[in-house]
Amino acid sequence: MENKNANKLTQNGKDKIAIFGFKDGLVGQFLEMAQISKSYDIEYFISIEELPDLNIDHEHRKRPNSKTEFIENGEIFGAPIHVDSEYIGRLSSDDISKVFVLEDDNNKRTSIIKRLLKAKIDVLSFIHESVWLGGNNFIGVGVIIFPMCY
């Protein structure tokens, strides 16, 4: 029997996913560190709040790092951003059953994860290979642990 919640694979055989959040300070670092593109195809990003209206030239002048990504034409990191509080329906209709939640506000993050789990959507975790876990640990769903943490 086919799992009705199973992701449809993209043409290159990878699971397609969505990512909640879009801010480069977190998402950009995560994408680079985790090398998500090796295992997954990012279909789109989801924001539960309206997108900021940015002056891209001004933002680049404020940040000397040329790798910083900003929203342009409703896209970031090569994928569209959907502003959507009814994201469960969107994920379901797009056959996406796996997501990363990179929302930087803890209350919003918790709320998103609870809704996703209730809808039986897999909230993915990532723990960098350089992380050292010692003692008696409990790692919850949707955890992202950056390199060199103990």
Side-chain angles (χ1 to χ4, degrees):
M1 181 175 193
E2 183 182 354
N3 178 356
K4 94 175 194 181
N5 225 15
N7 263 19
K8 301 284 189 207
L9 297 180
T10 59
Q11 289 180 351
N12 61 15
K14 299 177 185 176
D15 280 334
K16 58 184 187 175
I17 63 167
I19 295 178
F20 284 79
F22 59 86
K23 296 176 185 167
D24 184 57
L26 177 58
V27 178
Q29 290 178 41
F30 171 72
L31 293 176
E32 188 171 313
M33 167 196 66
Q35 300 181 8
I36 293 304
S37 63
K38 289 184 177 180
S39 303
Y40 302 103
D41 276 334
I42 302 169
E43 289 293 301
Y44 47 77
F45 293 87
I46 298 174
S47 176
I48 59 171
E49 295 182 353
E50 290 299 316
L51 301 178
D53 186 19
L54 299 176
N55 177 324
I56 301 300
D57 291 333
H58 175 71
E59 295 298 326
H60 278 297
R61 283 192 302 276
K62 285 181 3 185
R63 294 169 179 84
N65 183 347
S66 62
K67 291 180 9 179
T68 302
E69 290 269 345
F70 298 102
I71 301 165
E72 292 190 70
N73 302 318
E75 291 189 356
I76 196 162
F77 304 108
I81 304 171
H82 297 291
V83 177
D84 195 348
S85 61
E86 299 303 321
Y87 46 82
I88 300 297
R90 175 182 295 278
L91 293 168
S92 178
S93 68
D94 293 337
D95 292 318
I96 296 175
S97 63
K98 296 178 182 180
V99 301
F100 283 102
V101 180
L102 299 172
E103 172 60 52
D104 57 0
D105 178 284
N106 195 44
N107 291 329
K108 292 175 186 171
R109 178 180 165 76
T110 299
S111 175
I112 292 167
I113 289 173
K114 284 180 180 178
R115 281 186 69 194
L116 292 166
L117 293 176
K118 185 175 180 183
K120 302 206 182 317
I121 295 172
D122 290 334
V123 179
L124 301 171
S125 298
F126 177 81
I127 300 171
H128 192 270
E129 63 189 24
S130 68
V131 169
W132 177 261
L133 298 173
N136 192 11
N137 302 288
F138 174 79
I139 306 293
V141 66
V143 167
I144 309 293
I145 304 179
F146 278 72
M148 306 304 290
C149 291
Y150 174 79

PDB file of all heavy atoms in Angstrom, residues 63-98:
ATOM      1  N   ARG A  63      26.016  45.563   4.291  1.00  0.00           N
ATOM      2  CA  ARG A  63      26.660  44.277   4.563  1.00  0.00           C
ATOM      3  C   ARG A  63      27.770  44.045   3.548  1.00  0.00           C
ATOM      4  O   ARG A  63      27.498  43.819   2.375  1.00  0.00           O
ATOM      5  CB  ARG A  63      25.638  43.154   4.473  1.00  0.00           C
ATOM      6  CG  ARG A  63      24.581  43.237   5.545  1.00  0.00           C
ATOM      7  CD  ARG A  63      23.453  42.254   5.232  1.00  0.00           C
ATOM      8  NE  ARG A  63      22.437  42.288   6.243  1.00  0.00           N
ATOM      9  CZ  ARG A  63      21.442  43.162   6.274  1.00  0.00           C
ATOM     10  NH1 ARG A  63      21.349  44.090   5.347  1.00  0.00           N
ATOM     11  NH2 ARG A  63      20.529  43.119   7.224  1.00  0.00           N
ATOM     12  N   PRO A  64      29.011  44.021   3.988  1.00  0.00           N
ATOM     13  CA  PRO A  64      30.108  43.851   3.036  1.00  0.00           C
ATOM     14  C   PRO A  64      30.221  42.437   2.460  1.00  0.00           C
ATOM     15  O   PRO A  64      30.905  42.233   1.474  1.00  0.00           O
ATOM     16  CB  PRO A  64      31.348  44.200   3.874  1.00  0.00           C
ATOM     17  CG  PRO A  64      30.942  43.951   5.290  1.00  0.00           C
ATOM     18  CD  PRO A  64      29.461  44.222   5.360  1.00  0.00           C
ATOM     19  N   ASN A  65      29.560  41.448   3.062  1.00  0.00           N
ATOM     20  CA  ASN A  65      29.632  40.072   2.580  1.00  0.00           C
ATOM     21  C   ASN A  65      28.836  39.962   1.278  1.00  0.00           C
ATOM     22  O   ASN A  65      27.614  40.049   1.284  1.00  0.00           O
ATOM     23  CB  ASN A  65      29.082  39.115   3.634  1.00  0.00           C
ATOM     24  CG  ASN A  65      29.198  37.666   3.211  1.00  0.00           C
ATOM     25  OD1 ASN A  65      29.469  37.353   2.056  1.00  0.00           O
ATOM     26  ND2 ASN A  65      28.981  36.772   4.155  1.00  0.00           N
ATOM     27  N   SER A  66      29.510  39.727   0.190  1.00  0.00           N
ATOM     28  CA  SER A  66      28.846  39.679  -1.112  1.00  0.00           C
ATOM     29  C   SER A  66      27.973  38.436  -1.275  1.00  0.00           C
ATOM     30  O   SER A  66      27.193  38.354  -2.221  1.00  0.00           O
ATOM     31  CB  SER A  66      29.877  39.741  -2.240  1.00  0.00           C
ATOM     32  OG  SER A  66      30.730  38.616  -2.175  1.00  0.00           O
ATOM     33  N   LYS A  67      28.117  37.464  -0.381  1.00  0.00           N
ATOM     34  CA  LYS A  67      27.321  36.238  -0.481  1.00  0.00           C
ATOM     35  C   LYS A  67      25.938  36.388   0.170  1.00  0.00           C
ATOM     36  O   LYS A  67      25.114  35.495   0.061  1.00  0.00           O
ATOM     37  CB  LYS A  67      28.055  35.065   0.168  1.00  0.00           C
ATOM     38  CG  LYS A  67      29.276  34.652  -0.624  1.00  0.00           C
ATOM     39  CD  LYS A  67      30.082  33.496  -0.088  1.00  0.00           C
ATOM     40  CE  LYS A  67      29.564  32.708   1.024  1.00  0.00           C
ATOM     41  NZ  LYS A  67      30.415  31.601   1.445  1.00  0.00           N
ATOM     42  N   THR A  68      25.677  37.504   0.853  1.00  0.00           N
ATOM     43  CA  THR A  68      24.385  37.693   1.512  1.00  0.00           C
ATOM     44  C   THR A  68      23.277  37.708   0.470  1.00  0.00           C
ATOM     45  O   THR A  68      23.377  38.383  -0.556  1.00  0.00           O
ATOM     46  CB  THR A  68      24.364  39.016   2.313  1.00  0.00           C
ATOM     47  OG1 THR A  68      25.411  38.975   3.271  1.00  0.00           O
ATOM     48  CG2 THR A  68      23.033  39.200   3.017  1.00  0.00           C
ATOM     49  N   GLU A  69      22.233  36.940   0.719  1.00  0.00           N
ATOM     50  CA  GLU A  69      21.085  36.854  -0.188  1.00  0.00           C
ATOM     51  C   GLU A  69      19.949  37.722   0.335  1.00  0.00           C
ATOM     52  O   GLU A  69      19.708  37.784   1.543  1.00  0.00           O
ATOM     53  CB  GLU A  69      20.576  35.412  -0.272  1.00  0.00           C
ATOM     54  CG  GLU A  69      21.481  34.474  -0.996  1.00  0.00           C
ATOM     55  CD  GLU A  69      21.182  34.380  -2.486  1.00  0.00           C
ATOM     56  OE1 GLU A  69      20.111  34.809  -2.935  1.00  0.00           O
ATOM     57  OE2 GLU A  69      22.057  33.869  -3.190  1.00  0.00           O
ATOM     58  N   PHE A  70      19.240  38.352  -0.590  1.00  0.00           N
ATOM     59  CA  PHE A  70      18.058  39.138  -0.248  1.00  0.00           C
ATOM     60  C   PHE A  70      16.925  38.732  -1.174  1.00  0.00           C
ATOM     61  O   PHE A  70      17.148  38.233  -2.273  1.00  0.00           O
ATOM     62  CB  PHE A  70      18.333  40.640  -0.409  1.00  0.00           C
ATOM     63  CG  PHE A  70      19.409  41.142   0.496  1.00  0.00           C
ATOM     64  CD1 PHE A  70      20.679  41.375   0.013  1.00  0.00           C
ATOM     65  CD2 PHE A  70      19.153  41.371   1.837  1.00  0.00           C
ATOM     66  CE1 PHE A  70      21.682  41.835   0.850  1.00  0.00           C
ATOM     67  CE2 PHE A  70      20.140  41.830   2.684  1.00  0.00           C
ATOM     68  CZ  PHE A  70      21.411  42.064   2.190  1.00  0.00           C
ATOM     69  N   ILE A  71      15.721  38.965  -0.713  1.00  0.00           N
ATOM     70  CA  ILE A  71      14.539  38.657  -1.518  1.00  0.00           C
ATOM     71  C   ILE A  71      14.533  39.574  -2.737  1.00  0.00           C
ATOM     72  O   ILE A  71      14.623  40.789  -2.603  1.00  0.00           O
ATOM     73  CB  ILE A  71      13.250  38.885  -0.711  1.00  0.00           C
ATOM     74  CG1 ILE A  71      13.243  38.008   0.535  1.00  0.00           C
ATOM     75  CG2 ILE A  71      12.028  38.648  -1.575  1.00  0.00           C
ATOM     76  CD1 ILE A  71      12.202  38.422   1.548  1.00  0.00           C
ATOM     77  N   GLU A  72      14.435  38.963  -3.901  1.00  0.00           N
ATOM     78  CA  GLU A  72      14.283  39.725  -5.129  1.00  0.00           C
ATOM     79  C   GLU A  72      13.228  39.032  -5.981  1.00  0.00           C
ATOM     80  O   GLU A  72      13.308  37.832  -6.222  1.00  0.00           O
ATOM     81  CB  GLU A  72      15.602  39.816  -5.897  1.00  0.00           C
ATOM     82  CG  GLU A  72      16.651  40.673  -5.180  1.00  0.00           C
ATOM     83  CD  GLU A  72      17.856  40.963  -6.045  1.00  0.00           C
ATOM     84  OE1 GLU A  72      17.690  41.738  -7.017  1.00  0.00           O
ATOM     85  OE2 GLU A  72      18.930  40.420  -5.753  1.00  0.00           O
ATOM     86  N   ASN A  73      12.230  39.803  -6.392  1.00  0.00           N
ATOM     87  CA  ASN A  73      11.135  39.285  -7.226  1.00  0.00           C
ATOM     88  C   ASN A  73      10.456  38.075  -6.586  1.00  0.00           C
ATOM     89  O   ASN A  73      10.112  37.111  -7.262  1.00  0.00           O
ATOM     90  CB  ASN A  73      11.640  38.941  -8.621  1.00  0.00           C
ATOM     91  CG  ASN A  73      12.259  40.131  -9.318  1.00  0.00           C
ATOM     92  OD1 ASN A  73      11.727  41.237  -9.250  1.00  0.00           O
ATOM     93  ND2 ASN A  73      13.392  39.924  -9.953  1.00  0.00           N
ATOM     94  N   GLY A  74      10.313  38.114  -5.253  1.00  0.00           N
ATOM     95  CA  GLY A  74       9.609  37.041  -4.553  1.00  0.00           C
ATOM     96  C   GLY A  74      10.387  35.750  -4.436  1.00  0.00           C
ATOM     97  O   GLY A  74       9.811  34.707  -4.137  1.00  0.00           O
ATOM     98  N   GLU A  75      11.705  35.796  -4.669  1.00  0.00           N
ATOM     99  CA  GLU A  75      12.544  34.601  -4.575  1.00  0.00           C
ATOM    100  C   GLU A  75      13.761  34.869  -3.699  1.00  0.00           C
ATOM    101  O   GLU A  75      14.206  36.010  -3.570  1.00  0.00           O
ATOM    102  CB  GLU A  75      13.043  34.160  -5.957  1.00  0.00           C
ATOM    103  CG  GLU A  75      11.976  33.624  -6.851  1.00  0.00           C
ATOM    104  CD  GLU A  75      12.545  33.002  -8.119  1.00  0.00           C
ATOM    105  OE1 GLU A  75      13.778  33.059  -8.348  1.00  0.00           O
ATOM    106  OE2 GLU A  75      11.755  32.451  -8.884  1.00  0.00           O
ATOM    107  N   ILE A  76      14.294  33.802  -3.145  1.00  0.00           N
ATOM    108  CA  ILE A  76      15.562  33.854  -2.433  1.00  0.00           C
ATOM    109  C   ILE A  76      16.228  32.477  -2.556  1.00  0.00           C
ATOM    110  O   ILE A  76      15.531  31.459  -2.645  1.00  0.00           O
ATOM    111  CB  ILE A  76      15.387  34.269  -0.956  1.00  0.00           C
ATOM    112  CG1 ILE A  76      16.737  34.685  -0.354  1.00  0.00           C
ATOM    113  CG2 ILE A  76      14.694  33.191  -0.148  1.00  0.00           C
ATOM    114  CD1 ILE A  76      16.629  35.494   0.914  1.00  0.00           C
ATOM    115  N   PHE A  77      17.520  32.446  -2.645  1.00  0.00           N
ATOM    116  CA  PHE A  77      18.287  31.199  -2.806  1.00  0.00           C
ATOM    117  C   PHE A  77      17.773  30.375  -3.986  1.00  0.00           C
ATOM    118  O   PHE A  77      17.750  29.152  -3.950  1.00  0.00           O
ATOM    119  CB  PHE A  77      18.264  30.367  -1.525  1.00  0.00           C
ATOM    120  CG  PHE A  77      18.756  31.092  -0.316  1.00  0.00           C
ATOM    121  CD1 PHE A  77      17.875  31.497   0.669  1.00  0.00           C
ATOM    122  CD2 PHE A  77      20.104  31.397  -0.165  1.00  0.00           C
ATOM    123  CE1 PHE A  77      18.321  32.181   1.786  1.00  0.00           C
ATOM    124  CE2 PHE A  77      20.557  32.090   0.942  1.00  0.00           C
ATOM    125  CZ  PHE A  77      19.668  32.479   1.922  1.00  0.00           C
ATOM    126  N   GLY A  78      17.288  31.058  -5.026  1.00  0.00           N
ATOM    127  CA  GLY A  78      16.840  30.393  -6.242  1.00  0.00           C
ATOM    128  C   GLY A  78      15.472  29.743  -6.174  1.00  0.00           C
ATOM    129  O   GLY A  78      15.110  28.992  -7.069  1.00  0.00           O
ATOM    130  N   ALA A  79      14.711  30.021  -5.119  1.00  0.00           N
ATOM    131  CA  ALA A  79      13.377  29.415  -4.986  1.00  0.00           C
ATOM    132  C   ALA A  79      12.367  30.480  -4.558  1.00  0.00           C
ATOM    133  O   ALA A  79      12.718  31.437  -3.869  1.00  0.00           O
ATOM    134  CB  ALA A  79      13.406  28.275  -3.973  1.00  0.00           C
ATOM    135  N   PRO A  80      11.109  30.311  -4.950  1.00  0.00           N
ATOM    136  CA  PRO A  80      10.090  31.292  -4.561  1.00  0.00           C
ATOM    137  C   PRO A  80       9.782  31.244  -3.066  1.00  0.00           C
ATOM    138  O   PRO A  80       9.997  30.223  -2.414  1.00  0.00           O
ATOM    139  CB  PRO A  80       8.862  30.877  -5.373  1.00  0.00           C
ATOM    140  CG  PRO A  80       9.080  29.449  -5.731  1.00  0.00           C
ATOM    141  CD  PRO A  80      10.571  29.241  -5.775  1.00  0.00           C
ATOM    142  N   ILE A  81       9.298  32.374  -2.561  1.00  0.00           N
ATOM    143  CA  ILE A  81       8.825  32.456  -1.180  1.00  0.00           C
ATOM    144  C   ILE A  81       7.324  32.662  -1.229  1.00  0.00           C
ATOM    145  O   ILE A  81       6.839  33.574  -1.900  1.00  0.00           O
ATOM    146  CB  ILE A  81       9.453  33.642  -0.426  1.00  0.00           C
ATOM    147  CG1 ILE A  81      10.969  33.593  -0.464  1.00  0.00           C
ATOM    148  CG2 ILE A  81       8.944  33.678   1.013  1.00  0.00           C
ATOM    149  CD1 ILE A  81      11.625  34.851   0.073  1.00  0.00           C
ATOM    150  N   HIS A  82       6.603  31.805  -0.523  1.00  0.00           N
ATOM    151  CA  HIS A  82       5.153  31.958  -0.412  1.00  0.00           C
ATOM    152  C   HIS A  82       4.820  32.488   0.965  1.00  0.00           C
ATOM    153  O   HIS A  82       5.270  31.929   1.972  1.00  0.00           O
ATOM    154  CB  HIS A  82       4.440  30.617  -0.629  1.00  0.00           C
ATOM    155  CG  HIS A  82       4.645  30.049  -1.988  1.00  0.00           C
ATOM    156  ND1 HIS A  82       4.111  30.613  -3.118  1.00  0.00           N
ATOM    157  CD2 HIS A  82       5.361  28.976  -2.408  1.00  0.00           C
ATOM    158  CE1 HIS A  82       4.470  29.904  -4.180  1.00  0.00           C
ATOM    159  NE2 HIS A  82       5.237  28.907  -3.772  1.00  0.00           N
ATOM    160  N   VAL A  83       4.059  33.569   1.001  1.00  0.00           N
ATOM    161  CA  VAL A  83       3.534  34.076   2.267  1.00  0.00           C
ATOM    162  C   VAL A  83       2.208  33.372   2.455  1.00  0.00           C
ATOM    163  O   VAL A  83       1.285  33.537   1.663  1.00  0.00           O
ATOM    164  CB  VAL A  83       3.348  35.606   2.228  1.00  0.00           C
ATOM    165  CG1 VAL A  83       2.740  36.091   3.530  1.00  0.00           C
ATOM    166  CG2 VAL A  83       4.677  36.282   1.959  1.00  0.00           C
ATOM    167  N   ASP A  84       2.135  32.522   3.491  1.00  0.00           N
ATOM    168  CA  ASP A  84       0.979  31.642   3.586  1.00  0.00           C
ATOM    169  C   ASP A  84       0.776  31.164   5.014  1.00  0.00           C
ATOM    170  O   ASP A  84       1.624  30.463   5.562  1.00  0.00           O
ATOM    171  CB  ASP A  84       1.215  30.438   2.671  1.00  0.00           C
ATOM    172  CG  ASP A  84      -0.031  29.635   2.391  1.00  0.00           C
ATOM    173  OD1 ASP A  84      -1.056  29.849   3.056  1.00  0.00           O
ATOM    174  OD2 ASP A  84       0.041  28.786   1.490  1.00  0.00           O
ATOM    175  N   SER A  85      -0.349  31.537   5.612  1.00  0.00           N
ATOM    176  CA  SER A  85      -0.666  31.017   6.946  1.00  0.00           C
ATOM    177  C   SER A  85      -1.429  29.694   6.840  1.00  0.00           C
ATOM    178  O   SER A  85      -1.581  28.985   7.824  1.00  0.00           O
ATOM    179  CB  SER A  85      -1.465  32.050   7.752  1.00  0.00           C
ATOM    180  OG  SER A  85      -2.681  32.333   7.087  1.00  0.00           O
ATOM    181  N   GLU A  86      -1.900  29.366   5.648  1.00  0.00           N
ATOM    182  CA  GLU A  86      -2.600  28.094   5.412  1.00  0.00           C
ATOM    183  C   GLU A  86      -1.671  27.132   4.670  1.00  0.00           C
ATOM    184  O   GLU A  86      -2.041  26.525   3.677  1.00  0.00           O
ATOM    185  CB  GLU A  86      -3.889  28.347   4.614  1.00  0.00           C
ATOM    186  CG  GLU A  86      -4.883  29.252   5.321  1.00  0.00           C
ATOM    187  CD  GLU A  86      -5.290  28.725   6.690  1.00  0.00           C
ATOM    188  OE1 GLU A  86      -5.467  27.503   6.842  1.00  0.00           O
ATOM    189  OE2 GLU A  86      -5.404  29.555   7.613  1.00  0.00           O
ATOM    190  N   TYR A  87      -0.472  27.002   5.187  1.00  0.00           N
ATOM    191  CA  TYR A  87       0.577  26.249   4.509  1.00  0.00           C
ATOM    192  C   TYR A  87       0.327  24.750   4.469  1.00  0.00           C
ATOM    193  O   TYR A  87       0.849  24.065   3.603  1.00  0.00           O
ATOM    194  CB  TYR A  87       1.941  26.541   5.136  1.00  0.00           C
ATOM    195  CG  TYR A  87       1.958  26.511   6.642  1.00  0.00           C
ATOM    196  CD1 TYR A  87       2.065  25.321   7.337  1.00  0.00           C
ATOM    197  CD2 TYR A  87       1.851  27.689   7.375  1.00  0.00           C
ATOM    198  CE1 TYR A  87       2.074  25.293   8.715  1.00  0.00           C
ATOM    199  CE2 TYR A  87       1.861  27.676   8.760  1.00  0.00           C
ATOM    200  CZ  TYR A  87       1.973  26.482   9.426  1.00  0.00           C
ATOM    201  OH  TYR A  87       1.975  26.457  10.789  1.00  0.00           O
ATOM    202  N   ILE A  88      -0.483  24.216   5.373  1.00  0.00           N
ATOM    203  CA  ILE A  88      -0.739  22.766   5.359  1.00  0.00           C
ATOM    204  C   ILE A  88      -1.377  22.360   4.030  1.00  0.00           C
ATOM    205  O   ILE A  88      -0.953  21.376   3.405  1.00  0.00           O
ATOM    206  CB  ILE A  88      -1.629  22.345   6.550  1.00  0.00           C
ATOM    207  CG1 ILE A  88      -0.972  22.690   7.892  1.00  0.00           C
ATOM    208  CG2 ILE A  88      -1.985  20.864   6.460  1.00  0.00           C
ATOM    209  CD1 ILE A  88       0.327  21.970   8.176  1.00  0.00           C
ATOM    210  N   GLY A  89      -2.349  23.101   3.580  1.00  0.00           N
ATOM    211  CA  GLY A  89      -3.001  22.809   2.300  1.00  0.00           C
ATOM    212  C   GLY A  89      -2.049  22.923   1.128  1.00  0.00           C
ATOM    213  O   GLY A  89      -2.071  22.100   0.215  1.00  0.00           O
ATOM    214  N   ARG A  90      -1.212  23.950   1.149  1.00  0.00           N
ATOM    215  CA  ARG A  90      -0.238  24.136   0.068  1.00  0.00           C
ATOM    216  C   ARG A  90       0.724  22.956   0.012  1.00  0.00           C
ATOM    217  O   ARG A  90       0.985  22.398  -1.041  1.00  0.00           O
ATOM    218  CB  ARG A  90       0.542  25.429   0.251  1.00  0.00           C
ATOM    219  CG  ARG A  90       1.653  25.603  -0.791  1.00  0.00           C
ATOM    220  CD  ARG A  90       2.461  26.866  -0.587  1.00  0.00           C
ATOM    221  NE  ARG A  90       1.672  28.068  -0.768  1.00  0.00           N
ATOM    222  CZ  ARG A  90       1.393  28.622  -1.949  1.00  0.00           C
ATOM    223  NH1 ARG A  90       1.844  28.064  -3.055  1.00  0.00           N
ATOM    224  NH2 ARG A  90       0.684  29.721  -2.035  1.00  0.00           N
ATOM    225  N   LEU A  91       1.273  22.565   1.160  1.00  0.00           N
ATOM    226  CA  LEU A  91       2.211  21.447   1.197  1.00  0.00           C
ATOM    227  C   LEU A  91       1.553  20.172   0.687  1.00  0.00           C
ATOM    228  O   LEU A  91       2.138  19.428  -0.095  1.00  0.00           O
ATOM    229  CB  LEU A  91       2.745  21.250   2.617  1.00  0.00           C
ATOM    230  CG  LEU A  91       3.631  22.378   3.155  1.00  0.00           C
ATOM    231  CD1 LEU A  91       3.846  22.212   4.658  1.00  0.00           C
ATOM    232  CD2 LEU A  91       4.957  22.434   2.417  1.00  0.00           C
ATOM    233  N   SER A  92       0.339  19.935   1.129  1.00  0.00           N
ATOM    234  CA  SER A  92      -0.385  18.738   0.716  1.00  0.00           C
ATOM    235  C   SER A  92      -0.640  18.731  -0.788  1.00  0.00           C
ATOM    236  O   SER A  92      -0.384  17.727  -1.460  1.00  0.00           O
ATOM    237  CB  SER A  92      -1.707  18.646   1.487  1.00  0.00           C
ATOM    238  OG  SER A  92      -2.436  17.536   1.068  1.00  0.00           O
ATOM    239  N   SER A  93      -1.115  19.841  -1.329  1.00  0.00           N
ATOM    240  CA  SER A  93      -1.421  19.878  -2.765  1.00  0.00           C
ATOM    241  C   SER A  93      -0.158  19.791  -3.621  1.00  0.00           C
ATOM    242  O   SER A  93      -0.215  19.351  -4.764  1.00  0.00           O
ATOM    243  CB  SER A  93      -2.219  21.132  -3.116  1.00  0.00           C
ATOM    244  OG  SER A  93      -1.432  22.282  -2.969  1.00  0.00           O
ATOM    245  N   ASP A  94       0.974  20.171  -3.064  1.00  0.00           N
ATOM    246  CA  ASP A  94       2.240  20.088  -3.796  1.00  0.00           C
ATOM    247  C   ASP A  94       3.022  18.813  -3.494  1.00  0.00           C
ATOM    248  O   ASP A  94       4.189  18.693  -3.892  1.00  0.00           O
ATOM    249  CB  ASP A  94       3.102  21.310  -3.476  1.00  0.00           C
ATOM    250  CG  ASP A  94       2.520  22.601  -4.018  1.00  0.00           C
ATOM    251  OD1 ASP A  94       1.732  22.544  -4.977  1.00  0.00           O
ATOM    252  OD2 ASP A  94       2.857  23.675  -3.475  1.00  0.00           O
ATOM    253  N   ASP A  95       2.396  17.871  -2.793  1.00  0.00           N
ATOM    254  CA  ASP A  95       3.030  16.586  -2.463  1.00  0.00           C
ATOM    255  C   ASP A  95       4.354  16.758  -1.716  1.00  0.00           C
ATOM    256  O   ASP A  95       5.327  16.048  -1.972  1.00  0.00           O
ATOM    257  CB  ASP A  95       3.265  15.726  -3.709  1.00  0.00           C
ATOM    258  CG  ASP A  95       1.973  15.247  -4.326  1.00  0.00           C
ATOM    259  OD1 ASP A  95       1.074  14.840  -3.568  1.00  0.00           O
ATOM    260  OD2 ASP A  95       1.855  15.297  -5.562  1.00  0.00           O
ATOM    261  N   ILE A  96       4.373  17.700  -0.784  1.00  0.00           N
ATOM    262  CA  ILE A  96       5.556  17.908   0.041  1.00  0.00           C
ATOM    263  C   ILE A  96       5.233  17.457   1.451  1.00  0.00           C
ATOM    264  O   ILE A  96       4.311  17.972   2.078  1.00  0.00           O
ATOM    265  CB  ILE A  96       6.010  19.383   0.033  1.00  0.00           C
ATOM    266  CG1 ILE A  96       6.438  19.772  -1.388  1.00  0.00           C
ATOM    267  CG2 ILE A  96       7.145  19.615   1.033  1.00  0.00           C
ATOM    268  CD1 ILE A  96       6.794  21.230  -1.550  1.00  0.00           C
ATOM    269  N   SER A  97       5.966  16.470   1.922  1.00  0.00           N
ATOM    270  CA  SER A  97       5.699  15.937   3.259  1.00  0.00           C
ATOM    271  C   SER A  97       6.898  16.049   4.191  1.00  0.00           C
ATOM    272  O   SER A  97       6.903  15.487   5.278  1.00  0.00           O
ATOM    273  CB  SER A  97       5.258  14.474   3.161  1.00  0.00           C
ATOM    274  OG  SER A  97       6.294  13.698   2.611  1.00  0.00           O
ATOM    275  N   LYS A  98       7.931  16.791   3.740  1.00  0.00           N
ATOM    276  CA  LYS A  98       9.121  16.985   4.561  1.00  0.00           C
ATOM    277  C   LYS A  98       9.501  18.462   4.518  1.00  0.00           C
ATOM    278  O   LYS A  98       9.546  19.059   3.432  1.00  0.00           O
ATOM    279  CB  LYS A  98      10.293  16.149   4.053  1.00  0.00           C
ATOM    280  CG  LYS A  98      10.048  14.659   4.143  1.00  0.00           C
ATOM    281  CD  LYS A  98      11.219  13.884   3.595  1.00  0.00           C
ATOM    282  CE  LYS A  98      10.916  12.386   3.665  1.00  0.00           C
ATOM    283  NZ  LYS A  98      12.014  11.588   3.137  1.00  0.00           N
TER     284      LYS A  98
END
